[in-house]
Amino acid sequence: MARLAARVADLVGSPVRDMLKVAEVPGMISFAGGLPAPESFSPLDFHEAPAEVLQYGPSEGDRAFREAVAAELGAIGLPDDPDRLLILSGSQQGIDLAAKLAVEPGTRLGVQDACYLAALQVFRLFGAEFVPLASLLAGEGPAPSLAYINPTFQNPTGACAALAERQALAEACQRHDCILFEDDPYRDLDFEPVERRPVASFIDKGSFIYQGSFSKTVAPGLRLGFLTASPDLLPKLVHLKQAADLHTNRLSQWLVLQRLQAPDRLARVDANRTLYRQRRDHFAAELSRLFADLADWEAPSGGFFFWLRLKGEVDASALLPAAIRRGVLFTPGVHFEPFRIGPSPTLRLNFGYVTPEIATRGLTILADLIREDRARQAA
Ligand SMILES: Cc1ncc(COP(=O)(O)O)c(C=O)c1O
């Protein structure tokens, strides 16, 4: 028998990645996954790419690309210095690097009651012990070493933290010597004016990592993200990146640099915002029409997700096999809930990926299914 590392003994696949395979079945309506709308992609022209992108490059990322990203970060209160940036092979890599940096078996790690499941998967792999962020804010119990937050259009709840909450998080992390790890891939998909200032911008003397991604605004297949960090952490993160994959794909960096420098950059971002806002509005209207007696939710002011809490004692996971048989895929909320004991009535629906017509069809099927399940329970 091959002898494996103890850390992989309980390792399981991501339920969302497994579901993406089901989503490929022709005709399947998928509200699962965090996929952007295919209609949001515009063609990328790589014919003009210089030959130098074929060569190995710096681990930190290509200089011109870092300069362009740093200028955008400076505008939102983060370091505008390209030397404070590390380009990532997708922001998922930032989660892996942060875990390698700060998490070992038994490390206390603050997370929200509902948290991005692929972050939970990485943190579990390194042996994290999850503690509610609320206890960090209240100063209860030993402080966590790291607090992972996704305060802007959160995956999975869609929630966007208010200013006071952002300031309180930054203050609590600094007071308790806890590294703030802010994950911010959805910030440019805002549908109305809301507070979006990074929590990391309120840190003046503590340790932090702030990361973003081009997956939701340009294309996830490019696998391109970035992080900036406090000076005590950045050099170690660069060394971990070297050990992981030497550097990020240079063609992706070049392609996105062209996009950042294009005169129509803001117009494209705006067009995507409009596309997703219309899909959010359609979804919200259809939920009100079909789910008013079945679930509670709050419409998100940005990002990709509606988070539904089914009324009554319903186990949302138990509904999934029947939903798949009828051609609809959703993500049961329990996968995002590290503190949940027992079944969960929550589910996450990605409203951004499917067209309004398909959304209506899928939501109708789901509502019918839940209603039938209720009738069966009542009988
Ligand atoms: C909160 C959050 N963080 C990180 C990621 C990973 O994104 P990527 O690696 O494509 O940049 C996602 C993707 O869905 C996400 O929702």
Side-chain angles (χ1 to χ4, degrees):
M1 234 320 238
R3 283 182 295 276
L4 303 181
R7 76 175 81 87
V8 299
D10 299 324
L11 184 61
V12 289
S14 150
V16 167
R17 302 246 95 212
D18 292 345
M19 265 192 256
L20 289 182
K21 291 181 201 142
V22 182
E24 283 164 14
V25 173
M28 184 66 72
I29 298 175
S30 181
F31 297 131
L35 280 69
E39 297 82 358
S40 73
F41 302 148
S42 33
L44 291 164
D45 185 2
F46 49 83
H47 292 99
E48 303 286 316
E52 70 183 41
V53 303
L54 301 175
Q55 191 51 276
Y56 284 117
S59 293
E60 291 84 350
D62 287 348
R63 179 100 206 154
F65 184 53
R66 276 187 287 136
E67 282 171 358
V69 177
E72 301 214 338
L73 291 187
I76 55 170
L78 292 167
D80 62 358
D81 177 357
D83 291 328
R84 289 280 298 277
L85 261 182
L86 174 61
I87 303 304
L88 300 166
S89 302
S91 60
Q92 186 66 27
Q93 182 174 53
I95 301 173
D96 183 65
L97 301 183
K100 286 174 176 161
L101 179 75
V103 182
E104 50 199 0
T107 298
R108 290 169 69 79
L109 202 157
V111 287
Q112 289 160 288
D113 291 345
C115 175
Y116 172 47
L117 69 86
L120 295 175
Q121 187 189 26
V122 176
F123 296 143
R124 279 196 186 109
L125 176 65
F126 288 90
E129 186 189 314
F130 297 124
V131 295
L133 265 192
S135 60
L136 169 70
L137 287 166
E140 289 165 6
S145 307
L146 184 78
Y148 169 78
I149 58 168
N150 172 207
T152 305
F153 317 135
Q154 202 227 13
N155 181 359
T157 62
C160 190
L163 176 61
E165 209 180 323
R166 289 170 190 262
Q167 288 169 324
L169 276 165
E171 198 275 323
C173 284
Q174 296 196 100
R175 183 154 32 94
H176 295 290
D177 258 341
C178 170
I179 301 170
L180 172 85
F181 180 17
E182 181 170 11
D183 193 5
D184 206 8
Y186 300 98
R187 68 165 294 109
D188 289 332
L189 297 174
D190 52 321
F191 311 143
E192 48 248 344
V194 278
E195 181 60 58
R196 288 183 298 145
R197 252 175 297 174
V199 174
S201 69
F202 298 107
I203 298 266
D204 49 22
K205 53 186 185 323
S207 301
F208 72 88
I209 302 169
Y210 171 92
Q211 68 171 19
S213 174
F214 293 100
S215 287
K216 314 298 174 176
T217 49
V218 182
L222 293 173
R223 309 306 305 127
L224 201 58
F226 57 86
L227 67 75
T228 181
S230 48
D232 55 328
L233 305 184
L234 189 67
K236 289 209 163 25
L237 288 163
V238 173
H239 296 153
L240 287 165
K241 164 82 180 169
Q242 286 170 359
D245 65 353
L246 305 183
H247 65 79
T248 295
N249 181 318
R250 298 188 74 191
L251 181 57
S252 290
Q253 295 182 62
W254 184 84
L255 285 168
V256 175
L257 177 61
Q258 309 314 300
R259 186 58 65 79
L260 293 180
Q261 292 174 337
D264 64 350
R265 148 122 173 110
L266 292 179
R268 276 181 203 266
V269 173
D270 245 2
N272 275 348
R273 253 189 219 114
T274 304
L275 170 83
Y276 288 116
R277 187 189 295 112
Q278 285 168 349
R279 290 191 176 183
R280 188 272 318 258
D281 289 346
H282 176 77
F283 221 86
E286 291 299 71
L287 282 173
S288 298
R289 184 172 70 82
L290 296 161
F291 280 74
D293 57 329
L294 300 178
D296 295 304
W297 66 89
E298 272 165 44
S301 31
F304 283 179
F305 305 112
F306 271 87
W307 180 245
L308 265 59
R309 284 170 299 277
L310 297 178
K311 295 184 194 210
E313 303 273 299
V314 188
D315 175 3
S317 302
L319 297 169
L320 185 59
I324 292 175
R325 280 196 297 278
R326 294 186 193 189
V328 180
L329 208 51
F330 65 87
T331 313
V334 70
H335 301 303
F336 303 90
E337 298 177 306
F339 308 114
R340 167 85 61 187
I341 298 165
S344 172
T346 56
L347 56 140
R348 188 194 72 174
L349 302 174
N350 177 346
F351 62 84
Y353 176 59
V354 293
T355 62
E357 298 69 39
I358 293 176
T360 294
R361 241 190 298 140
L363 288 176
T364 306
I365 293 171
L366 262 189
D368 286 348
L369 181 74
I370 297 167
R371 243 178 265 288
E372 287 165 29
D373 182 67
R374 274 191 169 190
R376 241 192 329 275
Q377 306 276 348

